[in-house]
Amino acid sequence: RWHYRSHHLPFVRGVTVLWHRDEPIGICVFGCPARALAPRGRFFGLTGGWSKLKLRRLNQQLVTLSRVVLHPTYRGAGLSAAFVRASCKLQPQPWIEAVAEMGHLNPFFER
């Protein structure tokens, strides 16, 4: 209820919850990456079509951070960047991708 987007998430691969005493105050949700993303393709030099092997390798090596939600009471205290960093360390994939639609308003991924 604290997030501006839909609550429907396809293919969730990992969830990290931030607790303050016995109250959940934040959540990071990791999901499967989109098959094609232009900035990723440019960064890794990906060209050509997508075979089953390429898709399998993509899913083995990459996960997408699809939601970061923090309780409104705790926003602005610098918790989000630390929470995201700790959550990413728990993921088994070597690459984590985050695409922020509201990044121009709150650029905490840069931290």
Side-chain angles (χ1 to χ4, degrees), residues 15-34:
V15 174
T16 307
V17 179
L18 179 62
W19 294 85
H20 181 257
R21 296 189 181 105
D22 60 346
E23 178 185 8
I25 62 167
I27 189 167
C28 283
V29 181
F30 296 87
C32 292

Side-chain angles (χ1 to χ4, degrees), residues 35-104:
R35 182 177 67 181
L37 189 65
R40 180 194 322 134
R42 283 191 302 273
F43 182 83
F44 289 109
L46 301 174
T47 59
W50 287 94
S51 66
K52 286 184 181 182
L53 178 61
K54 281 186 179 180
L55 289 172
R56 188 176 315 124
R57 296 291 292 168
L58 176 70
N59 282 317
Q60 289 171 346
Q61 307 238 346
L62 183 70
V63 69
T64 299
L65 179 54
S66 58
R67 293 283 194 282
V68 177
V69 183
L70 197 63
H71 188 286
T73 302
Y74 299 91
R75 293 179 189 165
L79 292 175
S80 292
F83 178 44
V84 167
R85 200 173 295 113
S87 295
C88 288
K89 287 180 181 177
L90 296 173
Q91 296 306 306
Q93 293 81 9
W95 292 93
I96 297 172
E97 179 175 84
V99 178
E101 288 187 32
M102 302 287 287
H104 60 286

Side-chain angles (χ1 to χ4, degrees), residues 4-5 98-111:
Y4 66 96
R5 301 250 340 226
V99 178
E101 288 187 32
M102 302 287 287
H104 60 286
L105 298 175
N106 188 0
F108 76 91
F109 281 137
E110 293 177 11
R111 289 189 288 277

